[in-house]
Amino acid sequence: MNLHEYQAKTLFKEYDIPTTNFVVVDSHDDVENKVQQLKTNKWVAKAQVHAGGRGKAGGVKVLDSIEEIETFVKYWIGKNLITYQTDEIGQPVSTILVEECTNIIKELYLGIVIDRSSQSIVVMASPDGGVDIEAIAENSPERIFKVPIDLIAGPKREDALFLAKGLALSDEQVEQFVKIFNNLIQLFIDKDLALVEINPLIIDESKKLKCLDGKINVDSNALYRQQDILKMRDTSQEEERELKASEWDLNYIALDGNIGCMVNGAGLAMGTMDIIKSSGGLPANFLDVGGSVNKESVSEAFKIILSDKKVKAILINIFGGIVKCDVVAEGIIKAVEEVGVNIPVIVRLKGNNSEKAQILLETSSLNIISESDLSKAALKAVELSR
Amino acid sequence: MSILIDENTIAICQGFTGSQATMHCEQAIAYGTNLVGGVTPGKSGQVHLDRPVFDSVKEAVEITDANTSLIFVPAKFCMDSINEALDAGIKLIIVITEGIPTLDMISIKIKADNLGSIIIGPNCPGLITPGSCKLGIMPADIHQSGKIGIVSRSGTLTYEAVDQVTKAGFGQSTCVGIGGDPIPGSSFIDILKLFQEDEQTEAIVMVGEIGGTAEEEAATFIKSNITKPIVAYIAGASAPAGKRMGHAGAIISGGKGTADEKFKALESAGVKTVRSLTDIGKTILSSLES
């Protein structure tokens, strides 16, 4: 689960990690009242969306008066911000962060990730902040300094010092950095984060370190024990169909193609998409119905696929293990009867109760094409989607 | 022989009396698995599936000499269950449960390594040594005892691979689902090492997917350590970047973890790769014939 910048910065403040003074507004009527809490005459207004590249898209602006802030807020609230990281529709803006403008002497990068190779959390720092960390990793990997953290022993001062040296900090800044390092790791562990990125971490004109931006991703598996974080979820930033699917414990990801897919198991769902693609078609979605499907969730999955108007054919691929094929067949029949389907549906059922399922589909009088060979089923779907 | 589990396995199930556990333990027992009992706190003294229920793993181990545990405990309580199994001296812990927080897995993996215990999973279909021992949720009837070792990050893709291998006229030595989480208890390398040492295994099917670098690390290991033929498939060549494809670990981030990189790494290690999952069976056939 992703957090907004203002939510990340609120957590930073809670953990005594220096960041800007800011207020959050959701209406231009609010602006004057709230902005007066900031002691400055130069502000930065930032549209809050779950995507990077906001600055270039006009979603971040340095402003000199309350009127300018009001105009900015009036313009953006209710609009969608389209950046290079969003789709062509963009992400809706419903809150705007207004902060005191900081004079930047130097931009640095600081982040913590879960490193799958070393099976630990890793703190990364680079003196080249303000740009994409991937670009630094690509062009000058020697400018990224990393230390793994032993979760049982906790963070070590020497590791913080190693990163501080990489960042070429002054003596005074080193002590500030050690504190940020320790507190950020504590935040990461306490809140079950999967990623935190401060880009940029800056040195301001009083030579102090400060977090100017904050990106946080929380481990979804841990949300059951992070109720305060769960309250920060902004579902308006999530794709409508993906959100609907998550309510039914279905894993759905919207894609660009026109062949809808319904599969059990994430690996097989990806494998099915791959076959569609190598057969000359394009999948409209990834959809894993999971191991605990019932008639209702299959029916719901079907409706979600059909709500995508690009879809011209549907390929259903089920390898029954825990999932019983006849249950899936009943769900398909229920959905087709309820919503009506006028596009071809190609079904490949294998494993647990597949014969029973076959009979159900054949006697249903619905226009469903059965094909037990997956390659042939995919080719058929591609052919019928044209 | 086979790897990890066989007729000498003495298994218990944690979360024994739950509905999923009951269904799969019933099938395991019917398959001939030496499943001697289970653990559900507060239900000690009860009999479930004709086997004793214990309050703790420690008690179960003392009475049954169990060396393996199959865990179906819900994600919220699963970390405690794995800990309990480790503390009771269980050497092989198979975790079917999906949804364990990543930081919990990092800590528990350190502990397991220190104790010399093996964790398979979490978020996995489990293990089967066809003909002797089934500890997982896979459909039994597609398996057949034989000489192909299978290791996979995905459940249903493992079944596809098994089905094709069986239809190609081979059986399986052992099938291992290592699971789809970012921090798995056992890696491809851990399992490949065991297949290399196993006499029964003559060839290996490896099923990977996008996300992380486990396949690339396996490729480096294969180059200097595995002499048996390997056929590999990687799922997710058509997946977009930045989207989690069902499994917590299946995500291309920062341009890393693509299927293409994994295919290339494996090919450079001499692994025969297939771009379509339907080609696994015929490719294993041709690599054993040549």
Side-chain angles (χ1 to χ4, degrees), chain B residues 48-101:
Chain B
H48 186 63
L49 303 177
D50 293 329
R51 276 139 180 93
V53 182
F54 302 96
D55 256 339
S56 69
V57 180
K58 187 165 173 280
E59 190 192 349
V61 169
E62 276 166 10
I63 294 174
T64 66
D65 284 333
N67 53 21
T68 300
S69 180
L70 176 66
I71 303 186
F72 282 95
V73 174
K76 276 186 197 182
F77 312 109
C78 203
M79 167 91 163
D80 289 342
S81 298
I82 302 171
N83 252 318
E84 200 194 326
L86 288 171
D87 290 338
I90 297 277
K91 289 297 163 200
L92 176 63
I93 301 167
I94 304 155
V95 189
I96 306 299
T97 308
E98 179 180 358
I100 298 178

Side-chain angles (χ1 to χ4, degrees), chain A residues 14-277:
Chain A
E14 202 181 302
Y15 277 79
D16 206 10
I17 297 162
T19 182
T20 51
N21 289 320
F22 66 89
V23 292
V24 180
V25 295
D26 52 15
S27 146
H28 64 274
D29 300 333
D30 245 9
V31 170
E32 189 166 4
N33 206 3
K34 286 206 169 150
V35 165
Q36 274 167 356
Q37 298 166 30
L38 303 174
K39 292 167 196 66
T40 182
N41 49 20
K42 200 172 193 178
W43 300 266
V44 182
K46 297 166 141 182
Q48 299 293 288
V49 292
H50 288 175
R54 294 175 298 166
K56 283 197 186 98
V60 177
K61 218 164 181 184
V62 180
L63 303 166
D64 293 311
S65 70
I66 302 272
E67 293 71 40
E68 280 182 25
I69 302 172
E70 282 171 344
T71 310
F72 182 90
V73 171
K74 206 170 187 173
Y75 178 81
W76 276 114
I77 294 286
K79 277 208 181 57
N80 279 16
L81 182 64
I82 302 163
T83 81
Y84 76 95
Q85 281 189 4
T86 68
D87 57 17
E88 67 274 16
I89 302 160
Q91 296 290 98
V93 180
S94 56
T95 45
I96 290 178
L97 176 151
V98 182
E99 65 187 7
E100 294 171 0
C101 186
T102 308
N103 283 322
I104 300 167
I105 306 299
K106 195 169 189 315
E107 291 185 300
L108 315 167
Y109 171 93
L110 181 64
I112 307 182
V113 295
I114 288 182
D115 183 58
R116 294 162 66 160
S117 302
S118 65
Q119 305 202 317
S120 63
I121 68 172
V122 168
V123 185
M124 300 194 297
S126 171
D128 303 335
V131 292
D132 229 3
I133 190 69
E134 277 108 48
I136 310 172
E138 185 72 37
N139 303 325
S140 42
E142 75 288 351
R143 303 274 290 168
I144 299 178
F145 301 87
K146 296 180 186 180
V147 288
I149 305 301
D150 184 332
L151 274 186
I152 291 163
K156 291 199 291 274
R157 184 176 165 83
E158 64 204 66
D159 290 335
L161 295 180
F162 168 78
L163 294 181
K165 195 170 169 227
L167 294 172
L169 299 178
S170 71
D171 289 349
E172 192 196 341
Q173 287 156 1
V174 168
E175 285 316 310
Q176 293 171 36
F177 182 79
V178 172
K179 199 172 143 195
I180 294 173
F181 174 86
N182 287 327
N183 293 353
L184 199 63
I185 290 169
Q186 199 57 50
L187 168 67
F188 194 95
I189 294 167
D190 286 352
K191 304 294 181 192
D192 275 301
L193 306 189
L195 169 107
V196 56
E197 258 188 345
I198 301 165
N199 193 16
L201 169 72
I202 58 119
I203 299 171
D204 69 11
E205 54 193 350
S206 61
K207 308 260 175 64
K208 292 233 163 44
L209 290 170
K210 200 190 265 183
C211 303
L212 217 55
D213 198 355
K215 181 179 170 187
I216 284 180
N217 180 270
V218 188
D219 178 4
S220 305
N221 285 351
L223 289 173
Y224 72 85
R225 63 182 180 199
Q226 298 292 350
Q227 290 302 318
D228 53 334
I229 298 279
L230 189 57
K231 285 189 196 120
M232 297 182 185
R233 183 174 178 189
D234 179 0
T235 51
S236 77
Q237 300 294 315
E238 296 172 32
E239 208 271 344
E240 210 178 314
R241 282 190 290 270
E242 292 174 16
L243 188 62
K244 179 91 191 145
S246 73
E247 287 166 13
W248 287 87
D249 274 334
L250 302 165
N251 271 308
Y252 174 97
I253 308 280
L255 301 169
D256 295 332
N258 62 3
I259 299 173
C261 309
M262 182 160 96
V263 188
N264 67 324
L268 189 57
M270 281 188 272
T272 305
M273 286 161 45
D274 295 347
I275 291 184
I276 290 175
K277 200 165 181 192

